């Protein structure tokens, strides 16, 4: 590979229909997408690819030399999803074509439904990456692990021990409601950072850079289907790419946060909190209450633009205890049924039936004498009287 040439890793995913409800991707749709990518590889559009599934989401992992947001690559992914959708329709798979919110491709796949995480870098002599793919949750589900990986020395020993990590990292945080982003530096601004990313439904860590040289370290897909469509169309089921080793956190430090099955939003009907369970590929499917939310982690080496691997990183007894804890948490929280905090809060229910229920009951709400006039703070942060 010539000096300074950049390699791009593009992970693009969509739920284009699945087997037995929203359980898992059908192998024939994986085949259909693989055929499209194999042809593109033959023509030199991409260098290499790996197609897999995270539950009911079809995952295209591709490497190429065309940079991020490249129309040709995005169109290729779109074509692969369209071909897979045809198969899904022929087989009568459930929710065939679900995430393809538009009929026509218009130069960029972002905003059309599929989730996209892409990064471009000059390869190091050895370039390990980890691709995380989650099902039944939202992009903010990676906020907590990313904080631990890149800002918490109790997770990442290298932040203290390795001089190349010691300066810290920059977090690019996206406000998905406003379409604005802010960069916050760790460790100096970790309290501000946590004040934002502790609200994962709105503030999503989009990218992480190494502070000393602004090398890209991590990128997350941030598309939120409900915010694109304005209604509930399944959860966003995010993907994330993380670079590891030699000046980045070690693979073991990158995986370590997932030993704690933290609570995420998603699960049944995209409307419940539940534990994020790390699983190997063989368990990349959902069952109980359409879950619990799961995440897989595939490790690759990238060499001259070629994907070497994968290693199925959560397929390991070392994560058995996390899986056991996830089952216990699932049991506990499920017993709340339709009550918060199992069911999501009212802001998140905005995209489901809640507005209809409120509309229907509007005239049945009668004023009561409370002895005071409630002062409620609205989203804008301004105090406002409630009538
Ligand atoms: C969540 C998800 C499922 C469905 C549920 C109802 O992301 O995909 O939990 O929301 O199975 O699906 P429908 O409405 O298609 O019957
Ligand atoms: Mg589905
Ligand atoms: Mg899914």
């Amino acid at each position: 590979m010539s000096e300074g040439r950049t390699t791009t890793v593009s992970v693009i995913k969509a739920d284009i229909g699945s087997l037995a409800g929203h359980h898992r991707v059908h192998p024939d749709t994986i085949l259909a997408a693989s055929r499209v990518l194999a042809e593109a590889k033959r023509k030199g559009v991409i260098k290499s690819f790996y197609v897999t599934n995270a539950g009911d989401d079809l995952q295209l992992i591709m490497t190429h030399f065309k940079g991020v947001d490249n129309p040709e690559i995005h169109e290729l992914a779109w074509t692969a999803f369209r071909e897979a959708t045809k198969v899904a329709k022929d087989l009568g798979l459930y929710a065939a074509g679900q995430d393809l919110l538009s009929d026509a491709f218009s130069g960029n796949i972002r905003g059309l439904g599929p989730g996209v995480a892409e990064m471009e870098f000059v390869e190091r002599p050895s370039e390990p990456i980890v691709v995380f793919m989650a099902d039944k949750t939202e992009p903010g589900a990676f906020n907590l692990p990313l904080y631990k990986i890149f800002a918490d020395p109790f997770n990442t020993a290298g932040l203290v021990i390795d001089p190349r990590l010691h300066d810290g990292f920059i977090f690019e945080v996206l406000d998905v409601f406003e379409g604005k982003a802010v960069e916050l530096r760790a460790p100096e601004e970790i309290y501000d950072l946590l004040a934002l990313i502790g609200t994962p439904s709105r503030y999503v860590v989009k990218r992480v850079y190494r502070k000393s040289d602004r090398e890209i370290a991590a990128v997350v897909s941030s598309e939120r289907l409900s915010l694109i469509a304005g209604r509930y169309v399944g959860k966003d089921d995010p993907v994330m790419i993380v670079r590891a080793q030699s000046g980045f956190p070690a693979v073991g430090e990158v995986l370590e946060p997932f030993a704690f099955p933290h609570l995420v939003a998603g699960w049944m009907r995209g409307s419940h909190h539940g534990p994020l369970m790390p699983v190997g590929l063989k368990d990349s499917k959902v069952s109980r209450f359409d879950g619990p939310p799961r995440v897989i982690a595939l490790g690759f080496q990238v060499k001259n633009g070629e994907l070497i691997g994968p290693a199925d990183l959560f397929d390991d007894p070392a994560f058995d205890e996390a899986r056991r804890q996830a089952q216990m948490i699932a049991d506990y929280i499920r017993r709340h049924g339709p009550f918060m905090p199992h069911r999501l809060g009212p802001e998140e229910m905005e995209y489901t039936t809640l507005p209809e229920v409120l509309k229907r009951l509007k005239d049945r709400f009668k004023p009561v004498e409370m002895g005071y006039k409630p002062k409620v703070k609205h989203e804008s942060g301004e105090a406002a009287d409630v009538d």
Side-chain angles (χ1 to χ4, degrees):
M1 183 175 164
S2 65
E3 189 60 25
R5 186 184 190 186
T6 59
T7 299
T8 305
V9 182
S10 298
V11 183
I12 307 187
K13 49 81 44 182
D15 180 345
I16 52 86
S18 42
L19 175 64
H22 295 279
H23 174 64
R24 63 157 299 150
V25 167
H26 191 286
D28 289 1
T29 60
I30 294 190
L31 255 172
S34 300
R35 265 191 224 111
V36 174
L37 298 193
E39 178 61 12
K41 179 180 169 174
R42 201 185 57 77
K43 288 185 179 154
V45 178
I46 51 174
K47 179 73 178 171
S48 72
F49 69 90
Y50 187 80
V51 182
T52 188
N53 80 294
D56 62 1
D57 294 283
L58 183 58
Q59 305 280 350
L60 315 178
I61 305 169
M62 301 172 284
T63 48
H64 54 92
F65 303 113
K66 296 182 187 299
V68 302
D69 266 340
N70 180 274
E72 205 180 346
I73 300 298
H74 283 208
E75 186 163 20
L76 172 63
W78 186 254
T79 308
F81 290 138
R82 292 295 288 246
E83 289 302 309
T85 299
K86 278 187 204 156
V87 174
K89 287 191 170 152
D90 285 348
L91 295 176
L93 297 184
Y94 194 68
Q98 174 191 280
D99 285 0
L100 309 186
L101 301 180
S102 167
D103 284 334
F105 179 76
S106 53
N108 193 310
I109 205 165
R110 289 188 290 125
L112 300 183
V116 184
E118 297 182 288
M119 61 158 69
E120 184 180 356
F121 48 77
V122 176
E123 286 176 22
R124 296 168 290 164
S126 177
E127 184 67 59
I129 62 165
V130 182
V131 180
F132 291 92
M133 292 158 274
D135 190 27
K136 302 291 181 265
T137 188
E138 62 182 13
F142 289 129
N143 284 5
L144 186 150
L146 279 170
Y147 177 80
K148 285 187 164 181
I149 295 167
F150 292 105
D152 180 3
F154 282 74
N155 179 90
T156 298
L159 292 169
V160 177
I161 293 170
D162 186 337
R164 293 169 299 179
L165 275 72
H166 202 81
D167 271 355
F169 290 86
I170 299 169
F171 288 69
E172 181 188 327
V173 179
L174 184 63
D175 177 344
V176 293
F177 288 1
E178 295 287 331
K180 290 181 181 165
V182 60
E183 286 194 354
L184 291 165
R185 300 156 81 82
E188 308 91 293
E189 299 179 294
I190 55 171
Y191 298 157
D192 288 346
L193 176 64
L194 288 169
L196 296 186
I197 67 173
T199 307
S201 54
R202 175 164 187 169
Y203 298 102
V204 175
V205 179
K206 176 68 193 171
R207 290 184 191 84
V208 180
Y209 301 96
R210 187 164 54 196
K211 202 193 293 165
S212 55
D213 54 5
R214 265 196 95 85
E215 270 291 303
I216 183 84
V219 62
V220 175
S221 64
S222 50
E223 291 71 26
R224 293 212 51 197
L225 280 167
S226 58
L227 299 179
I228 296 172
R231 64 190 152 84
Y232 177 70
V233 256
K235 265 293 172 206
D236 322 298
D237 303 337
V239 290
M240 164 165 89
I241 311 168
V242 182
R243 295 170 80 192
Q245 308 287 153
S246 304
F248 291 112
V251 167
E253 291 167 333
V254 171
L255 300 180
E256 178 64 9
F258 296 90
F260 163 52
H262 68 293
L263 289 174
V264 297
W267 208 348
M268 175 57 79
R269 297 175 188 278
S271 305
H272 294 83
H273 286 116
L276 185 64
M277 185 162 79
V279 293
L281 275 177
K282 70 175 183 353
D283 295 315
S284 187
K285 54 198 174 187
V286 293
S287 55
R288 182 179 178 186
F289 203 52
D290 285 357
R294 287 170 208 221
V295 59
I296 56 171
L298 298 187
F300 295 91
Q301 296 291 142
V302 182
K303 187 64 183 172
N304 298 336
E306 195 85 40
L307 279 170
I308 312 298
D312 188 358
L313 296 165
F314 287 143
D315 179 22
D316 188 308
F319 286 94
D320 280 352
E321 185 57 21
R323 291 188 269 268
R324 198 186 65 85
Q325 280 180 19
Q327 315 280 27
M328 281 167 45
I329 296 162
D331 260 338
Y332 171 81
I333 201 160
R334 271 277 42 239
R335 279 186 244 160
H336 293 79
F339 284 78
M340 288 171 61
H342 184 24
R343 200 213 70 191
L344 301 189
E347 329 77 53
E348 286 293 297
M349 301 303 286
E350 272 295 300
Y351 298 95
T352 65
T353 50
L354 186 68
E356 285 163 40
V357 173
L358 286 171
K359 204 165 143 196
R360 224 173 338 100
L361 297 181
K362 191 168 174 278
D363 296 333
R364 289 171 57 188
F365 274 101
K366 305 293 175 210
V368 284
E369 184 44 61
M370 292 173 68
Y372 64 92
K373 196 165 166 61
K375 289 188 169 18
V376 179
K377 272 203 163 188
H378 287 295
E379 276 274 296
S380 62
E382 287 162 26
D385 288 346
V386 168
D387 293 325

